């Protein structure tokens, strides 16, 4: 939206009001006029109105939005709305697109405020006057951060009631033509999220939904796991009566809702388990899993209660490697029943940040701001989001193999990350500061853990030649991060995320995590690690402005495996300081391995840590993970440049 930066005002509620200083020649009267000969399209409907805090303007209705131009004169007659002053050279019009407008409302008869006139100029109205008014609600991008959206309201006024009502009706017709905007949402509010501000955050943004005429059913959770239970137990018929689900809370709260949604609706085969590996376990190596050659993995397990039920339901025919035969080579379904019935085009998730980190919101909107997120939701923006399916095979070394499935949307981390989440649980009363305190304690202990990690070798244009040279020489070397100038950062209308499945190179994921070749090559690394991380998105946050992996994407079908080998205390501190710097290089260390992959396996040895799954603790001795490209959609558009 174009505007005069010097004429941005704020009213007492902190709402931006945009002045316009863009004069053109006035109409001869105040009645609506159509120009161009086609009244049905109303592509150039113009009326002379008064813009609150600005003055007399000509408001024009265009095919894609509204534009207005201010009339400069020494005096005028309100009833006739004609210009009696000297002619002033016109400037560019001020405008707003319908795609940036979320509501218009008639606000009846009331006071109109004049602009402040400089140099002793005479008031156009003499004193504040009363007229019929209607308000157009939209947003502006912040001057300092384009991803931060600021509420903007434009109040137009006229003496004639019918003129105002006509404009409201016309604008509403255009807003109703905007595709993808929600009309009915299920909202979960976590009252104790972050600093305990969940309810206050919802009260702040609720008027935006009311103005946009979005119906909301609000559930304020009273106990842990309540949102998961509601999402799991709600029938598809009831759930799909909503256009989406909104979480007011942090990453962990969204993870709970996501798992409740996918628990009975996402049908997919398990990835291979670590027990499928039959080659020697000493050192680093590579191995091949032939499709159809390994033993079938157990599919179901009994659980004590509904909240712990496996997130895969129903018996499904699988081939020997545990991969479903229900899809063709291009990823399409053989039968309607096998397709992901929950993946409806209109159904989306929204997150209004009220947590301690809010990494998912930072990556999908570019701003950790409840108003910005609410605007993305009511405007119906959409972005795909990769989801990792994580299968825990064994909880402890002594336990039986009982597969249990969880889903992660941003990050899964072991070692340092798991120790921090465990330690922070002891200090919940500290709020978000508990992570700084717990992180410092864990850093000073400087623990490392023995583990083995195997991951799929990816052959794509993104693969660094260093890894290929390492494999040919019989040794796996880390994939170093690419040169900063070569990074493709995920932004609005990202070309990487929007690339179609048939355009993705061999070895890259499509609609299912594994491509259809006869064999899949896995690479393996074993040793002592301070941390093992799997970043599905960049995980930007206030502590790590570029995230764990700056060029990770929202919907490219990859996760980034980051292995931090045991190293001296000082070097690990250097790595952490690079994470905390904008433009830092946390992956360019010899003790850091970075692998871009579609799936990995994990087995721990000796003393164990736990996993941090989107901010929630998750204990696992053995697990496997695979990524599903764009499995869900969010009310967002990606961060702006």
């Amino acid at each position: 939206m174009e505007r005069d930066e010097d004429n941005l005002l704020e009213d007492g509620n902190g709402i931006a009001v945009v002045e316009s200083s863009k004069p053109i020649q006035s109409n001869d009267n105040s009645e609506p006029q159509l120009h161009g000969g086609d009244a049905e399209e109303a592509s150039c409907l113009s009326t002379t109105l008064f813009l609150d805090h600005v003055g007399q303007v000509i408001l024009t209705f265009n095919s894609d939005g509204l534009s207005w131009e201010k009339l400069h004169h020494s005096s005028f007659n309100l009833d006739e709305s004609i210009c009696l002053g000297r002619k002033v050279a016109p400037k560019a019009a001020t405008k707003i697109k319908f795609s940036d407008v979320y509501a218009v409302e008639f606000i009846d008869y009331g006071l109109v405020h004049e602009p402040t006139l400089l140099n002793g100029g005479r008031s156009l109205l003499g004193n504040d006057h009363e007229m019929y008014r209607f308000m157009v609600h939209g947003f502006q991008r912040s001057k300092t951060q384009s991803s931060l959206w600021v509420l903007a309201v434009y109040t137009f006024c006229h003496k004639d009631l019918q003129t105002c009502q006509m404009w409201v009706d016309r604008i509403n017709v255009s807003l109703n033509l905007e595709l993808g905007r929600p009309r009915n949402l299920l909202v979960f509010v976590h009252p104790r999220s972050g600093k305990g501000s969940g309810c206050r955050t919802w009260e702040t943004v609720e008027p935006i939904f009311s103005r946009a005429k979005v119906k909301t059913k609000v559930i304020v959770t009273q106990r842990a796991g309540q949102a998961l239970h509601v999402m799991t137990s709600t029938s598809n018929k009831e759930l799909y009566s909503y256009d989406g689900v909104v979480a007011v809370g942090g990453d962990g709260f969204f993870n709970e809702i996501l798992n409740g949604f996918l628990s009975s609706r996402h049908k997919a085969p398990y990835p291979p388990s670590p027990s499928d590996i039959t080659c020697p376990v000493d050192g680093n190596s590579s191995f091949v899993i032939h499709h159809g050659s390994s033993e079938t993995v157990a599919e179901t397990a009994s659980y004590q209660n509904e909240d712990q039920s496996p997130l895969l339901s129903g018996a499904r025919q699988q081939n020997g490697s545990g991969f479903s035969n229900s899809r063709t080579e291009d990823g399409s379904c053989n039968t309607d029943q096998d397709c992901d019935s929950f993946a409806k085009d209109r159904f989306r998730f929204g997150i209004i940040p009220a947590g301690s980190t809010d990494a998912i919101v930072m990556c999908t909107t570019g701003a950790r701001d409840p108003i910005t997120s609410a605007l993305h939701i009511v405007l119906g923006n959409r972005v795909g989001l990769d989801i990792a399916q994580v299968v825990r095979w064994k909880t402890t070394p002594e336990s039986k193999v009982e597969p249990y499935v969880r889903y992660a949307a941003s990050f899964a981390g072991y070692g340092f990350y798991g120790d921090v989440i465990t330690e922070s649980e002891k200090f919940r009363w500290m709020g978000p500061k508990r992570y700084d305190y717990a992180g410092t304690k864990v850093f000073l202990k400087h623990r490392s853990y023995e583990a083995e990690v195997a991951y799929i070798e990816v052959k794509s244009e993104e693969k660094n030649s260093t890894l290929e040279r390492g494999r040919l020489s019989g040794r796996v070397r880390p994939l170093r991060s690419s040169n900063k100038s070569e990074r493709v950062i995920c932004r609005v209308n990202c070309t990487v995320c929007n690339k179609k499945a048939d355009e993705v190179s061999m070895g890259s994921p499509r609609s299912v995590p594994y491509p259809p070749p006869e064999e899949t090559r896995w690479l393996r690394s074993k040793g002592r690690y301070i941390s093992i991380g799997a970043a599905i998105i960049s995980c930007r946050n206030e502590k790590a402005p570029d995230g764990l992996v700056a060029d990770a994407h929202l919907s490219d079908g990859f996760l980034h495996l980051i292995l931090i080998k045991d190293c001296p205390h000082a070097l690990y501190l250097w790595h952490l300081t690079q994470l905390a710097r904008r433009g830092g290089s946390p992956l360019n260390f010899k003790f850091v391995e970075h692998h871009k992959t579609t799936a990995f396996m994990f087995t721990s040895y000796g003393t164990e840590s736990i996993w941090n799954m989107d901010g929630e603790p998750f204990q696992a001795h053995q697990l496997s993970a695979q990524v599903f490209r764009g499995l869900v959609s969010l009310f967002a558009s990606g961060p702006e440049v």
Side-chain angles (χ1 to χ4, degrees):
M1 179 175 58
E2 298 177 2
R3 60 188 174 92
D4 186 344
E5 296 285 357
D6 295 331
N7 292 332
L8 178 63
L9 305 176
E10 286 192 359
D11 67 6
N13 296 321
I15 297 178
V17 180
V18 179
E19 286 194 17
S20 172
S21 54
K22 330 292 184 187
I24 66 168
Q25 185 175 351
S26 169
N27 295 325
D28 292 335
N29 55 64
S30 60
E31 295 302 314
Q33 297 184 5
L34 286 173
H35 304 282
D38 191 350
E40 288 186 359
E41 292 186 4
S43 60
C44 201
L45 171 66
S46 296
T47 305
T48 303
L49 301 166
F50 196 89
L51 180 57
D52 203 24
H53 290 291
V54 176
Q56 192 182 27
V57 299
I58 294 180
L59 179 63
T60 302
F61 186 101
N62 303 302
S63 60
D64 63 344
L66 305 174
S67 61
W68 57 91
E69 299 175 282
K70 184 177 179 181
L71 298 175
H72 284 252
H73 39 67
S74 58
S75 64
F76 71 95
N77 184 302
L78 264 176
D79 293 325
E80 295 183 357
S81 298
I82 58 175
C83 180
L84 301 178
R86 64 186 178 85
K87 187 175 181 179
V88 180
K91 298 180 181 179
T94 298
K95 60 185 178 181
I96 184 170
K97 294 182 177 180
F98 289 130
S99 59
D100 295 341
V101 175
Y102 68 91
V104 59
E105 58 181 339
F106 178 72
I107 54 173
D108 209 353
Y109 205 73
L111 196 63
V112 179
H113 305 91
E114 280 223 69
T116 302
L117 300 181
L118 302 177
N119 302 321
R122 186 165 64 87
S123 171
L124 299 179
L125 295 176
N127 295 303
D128 288 336
H129 203 76
E130 289 190 350
M131 296 185 188
Y132 293 102
R133 303 164 297 166
F134 65 93
M135 300 176 70
V136 177
H137 295 276
F139 74 91
Q140 291 180 333
R141 289 168 176 82
S142 167
K143 296 179 182 179
T144 57
Q145 184 183 352
S146 60
S147 291
L148 182 65
W149 293 359
V150 182
L151 290 177
V153 60
Y154 311 89
T155 304
F156 295 96
C157 319
H158 199 276
K159 286 254 184 179
D160 180 50
L161 170 63
Q162 297 302 320
T163 298
C164 288
Q165 192 62 57
M166 179 274 296
W167 274 98
V168 171
D169 293 342
R170 289 271 187 175
I171 295 171
N172 270 325
V173 168
S174 294
L175 295 185
N176 290 335
L177 295 176
E178 292 292 319
L179 299 176
R181 296 196 175 185
R183 290 291 174 260
N184 194 13
L185 295 171
L186 177 61
V187 179
F188 290 95
V189 179
H190 193 317
R192 299 180 62 186
S193 185
K195 296 181 180 180
S197 59
C199 292
R200 291 195 303 273
T201 299
W202 173 247
E203 290 170 359
T204 300
V205 301
E206 191 276 335
I208 296 175
F209 292 85
S210 297
R211 292 191 201 105
K213 297 181 175 60
V214 178
K215 296 179 182 179
T216 55
K217 178 181 177 180
V218 181
I219 299 176
V220 180
T221 58
Q222 304 298 319
R223 64 184 185 278
Q226 180 180 350
L228 183 144
H229 176 75
V230 172
M231 291 296 293
T232 303
S233 59
T234 301
S235 68
N236 283 346
K237 181 178 180 181
E238 180 182 352
L239 188 63
Y240 296 137
S241 68
Y242 302 101
D243 297 311
V245 177
V246 175
V248 183
D251 295 332
F253 190 51
F254 173 68
N255 179 274
E256 179 183 334
I257 293 170
L258 178 72
N259 275 275
F261 176 71
L262 295 174
S263 62
S264 60
R265 298 173 180 91
H266 181 224
K267 295 178 174 64
Y270 293 162
S273 72
S275 61
D276 291 332
I277 302 174
T278 57
C279 53
V281 298
D282 295 331
N284 297 325
S285 62
S286 64
F287 57 94
V288 173
I289 293 181
H290 294 274
H291 289 199
S293 63
S294 59
E295 295 181 1
T296 303
V297 178
E299 175 101 17
T300 59
S302 59
Y303 288 83
Q304 298 296 323
N305 55 56
E306 185 177 0
D307 285 350
Q308 291 183 329
S309 61
L311 301 186
L312 297 171
S313 61
R316 294 178 299 282
Q317 194 81 30
Q318 293 183 339
N319 62 26
S321 61
F323 307 144
S324 173
N325 288 321
S326 62
R327 294 185 182 268
T328 61
E329 287 192 0
D330 63 358
S332 62
C333 300
N334 287 325
T335 65
D336 293 337
Q337 184 176 2
D338 288 322
C339 289
D340 296 329
S341 60
F342 69 87
K344 300 191 180 223
D345 289 339
R346 66 179 182 84
F347 197 87
R348 279 157 286 177
F349 291 90
I351 309 175
I352 297 176
S356 302
T357 306
D358 300 312
I360 299 176
V361 165
M362 289 280 287
C363 292
T364 55
T365 70
R368 189 185 182 189
D369 176 61
I371 296 294
T372 300
S373 294
L375 288 169
H376 276 282
I377 294 170
V378 298
L379 291 173
N381 292 332
R382 174 189 295 274
V383 67
L385 188 66
D386 291 341
I387 300 297
Q389 179 199 58
V390 181
V391 182
R392 178 180 66 197
W393 301 101
K394 299 180 70 173
T395 305
T396 65
E398 296 79 20
S399 60
K400 297 180 180 179
V401 174
E402 293 182 328
Y404 174 71
V405 181
R406 286 280 298 273
Y407 293 88
S410 61
F411 178 75
Y414 180 82
F416 178 82
Y417 304 109
D419 292 348
V420 170
I421 201 69
T422 301
E423 191 71 24
S424 68
E425 289 297 307
K426 305 174 185 176
F427 305 99
R428 275 199 166 269
W429 56 270
M430 296 177 65
K433 292 183 178 179
R434 69 184 184 273
Y435 294 110
D436 294 333
Y437 180 69
T440 301
K441 289 187 66 177
V442 172
F443 169 76
L444 293 175
K445 292 179 181 178
H446 198 59
R447 298 191 188 103
S448 62
Y449 301 91
E450 187 174 359
E452 180 181 2
V453 179
Y455 53 93
I456 283 185
E457 178 187 38
V458 172
K459 296 178 181 178
S460 69
E461 62 274 11
E462 293 88 2
K463 182 176 178 180
N464 189 289
S465 60
T466 303
L467 179 58
E468 185 67 62
R469 291 195 301 269
R471 187 177 64 82
L472 292 175
S473 64
R475 179 185 176 189
V476 176
R477 297 180 183 176
L479 172 60
R480 302 299 181 193
S481 59
S482 59
N483 187 285
K484 293 180 184 178
S485 63
E486 299 173 354
R487 291 177 179 175
V488 179
I489 306 300
C490 194
R491 299 296 188 197
V492 176
N493 298 320
C494 176
T495 56
V496 174
C497 295
N498 291 336
K499 186 178 292 186
K500 295 180 180 179
D502 56 1
E503 297 173 353
V504 179
S505 58
M506 182 60 68
S508 299
R510 302 190 179 190
S511 57
V512 290
Y514 294 97
E518 292 300 323
E519 62 182 37
T520 301
R521 181 174 295 278
W522 293 70
L523 304 178
R524 183 177 55 184
S525 181
K526 182 180 180 183
R528 294 195 67 85
Y529 301 98
I530 295 175
S531 67
I532 296 171
I536 305 153
I537 57 179
S538 64
C539 298
R540 292 186 187 92
N541 59 79
E542 293 177 352
K543 300 294 184 183
D546 289 339
L548 297 176
V549 183
D551 55 348
H553 287 265
L554 297 175
S555 184
D556 65 347
F558 291 101
L559 61 80
H560 294 258
L561 193 61
I562 306 169
L563 311 178
I564 311 296
K565 298 177 181 178
D566 196 6
C567 65
H569 218 152
L571 287 180
Y572 188 56
L573 177 61
W574 190 5
H575 163 75
L576 294 178
T577 57
Q578 289 294 309
L579 270 178
R581 285 183 52 214
R582 188 176 298 278
S585 301
L587 305 181
N588 288 341
F589 292 92
K590 291 184 178 180
F591 58 87
V592 177
E593 290 188 25
H594 171 211
H595 308 287
K596 192 172 181 178
T597 185
T598 58
F600 74 93
M601 310 176 195
F602 163 86
T603 303
S604 66
Y605 297 95
T607 304
E608 296 185 336
S609 177
I610 69 167
W611 282 84
N612 176 342
M613 199 83 65
D614 282 350
E616 298 298 319
F618 184 65
Q619 186 175 0
H621 168 68
Q622 279 188 343
L623 63 76
S624 304
Q626 59 183 340
V627 148
F628 288 84
R629 185 182 184 191
L631 185 61
V632 300
S633 294
L634 264 60
F635 287 108
S637 60
E640 299 188 24
V641 177

